[in-house]
Amino acid sequence: MIAVTVGQWALWIALLIAVYGMAASVLGARQRTPELIQSGRNAVFVVAAMAVVASGCLLYLLLTRNFQADYVYQHVSSYLPTVYVISAFYAGQEGSLLLWLLLLSIAGALAVARKRDWNEELLPYVAAVVAGVAAFFAFLLVSLSSPFNLLSANPGEGFGLSPLLENPGMIYHPPTLFIGYAIYTIPFAYAIAALATGRVGSG
């Protein structure tokens, strides 16, 4: 199944690139090697791109109601309205972790894309922290909570969304919450970067 295979590979690539980006950014900062620093920044962009690909694959599986995908089977049914099929993306742990990875990697990519004089020294460490956090979520997704597990056969129908979740609040509340969680990664990254460079309290 193409969407499952592509989604799984996207998560594995995101994990490997995130680990590389973390290492390259720290080494580049320590050794003052611009090429490694730039490579670490590029790694954050690649992780964000892979998160987008994986998320697109899961959304495709949900919208096509492919019940052989275990996550779709658990949270979608053929009679579920489309708006709740989309919200089923984050109805379970696997989808929630993927959404978190998607949002934090996009926020991280935007953060490291904005090069300014005042944060030039901090930027490699910011990229390293973002890559490290992304690697953590990608590791969970490929090892413990993969949204791309397949059932041995297509059951033809799914369980559907819990009736408690079939309300308008399900559409906007969880994404808003996860956006907040993801954005908090950026000030955390800058705080760690300030500690690593000894710029705590500097203007």
Side-chain angles (χ1 to χ4, degrees):
M1 195 176 301
I2 294 177
V4 169
T5 303
V6 172
Q8 287 175 331
W9 273 104
L11 291 177
W12 273 108
I13 293 171
L15 173 60
L16 296 175
I17 296 297
V19 171
Y20 166 78
M22 181 172 54
S25 296
V26 172
L27 286 174
R30 294 295 185 186
Q31 299 175 1
R32 300 185 183 279
T33 308
E35 292 80 9
L36 275 177
I37 292 173
Q38 183 61 43
S39 185
R41 290 178 69 244
N42 291 339
V44 174
F45 301 143
V46 173
V47 171
M50 291 299 101
V52 169
V53 171
S55 298
C57 289
L58 181 57
L59 190 60
Y60 173 79
L61 291 170
L62 290 165
L63 290 173
T64 56
R65 292 171 169 79
N66 192 321
F67 297 120
Q68 191 170 354
D70 186 42
Y71 189 80
V72 180
Y73 172 67
Q74 294 291 338
H75 301 289
V76 172
S77 64
S78 57
Y79 58 82
L80 192 67
T82 302
V83 66
Y84 292 123
V85 171
I86 295 172
S87 63
F89 185 104
Y90 42 81
Q93 175 177 281
E94 298 89 343
S96 295
L97 289 172
L98 180 54
L99 178 63
W100 203 334
L101 173 64
L102 173 68
L103 294 173
L104 80 86
S105 61
I106 290 175
L110 293 174
V112 301
R114 301 181 64 185
K115 296 180 66 175
R116 295 178 178 177
D117 292 339
W118 64 268
N119 73 348
E120 191 69 30
E121 187 180 0
L122 301 175
L123 203 59
Y125 294 102
V126 172
V129 172
V130 169
V133 176
F136 169 74
F137 281 98
F139 173 75
L140 293 179
L141 286 163
V142 301
S143 60
L144 302 175
S145 296
S146 174
F148 297 110
N149 291 330
L150 285 176
L151 300 172
S152 57
N154 193 327
E157 184 58 272
F159 281 116
L161 205 60
S162 167
L164 293 174
L165 299 180
E166 290 188 43
N167 65 79
M170 182 62 180
I171 300 168
Y172 63 85
H173 182 263
T176 303
L177 201 63
F178 281 111
I179 288 171
Y181 291 156
I183 289 176
Y184 266 113
T185 305
I186 307 308
F188 170 72
Y190 271 101
I192 297 300
L195 289 171
T197 56
R199 290 181 57 180
V200 178
S202 62

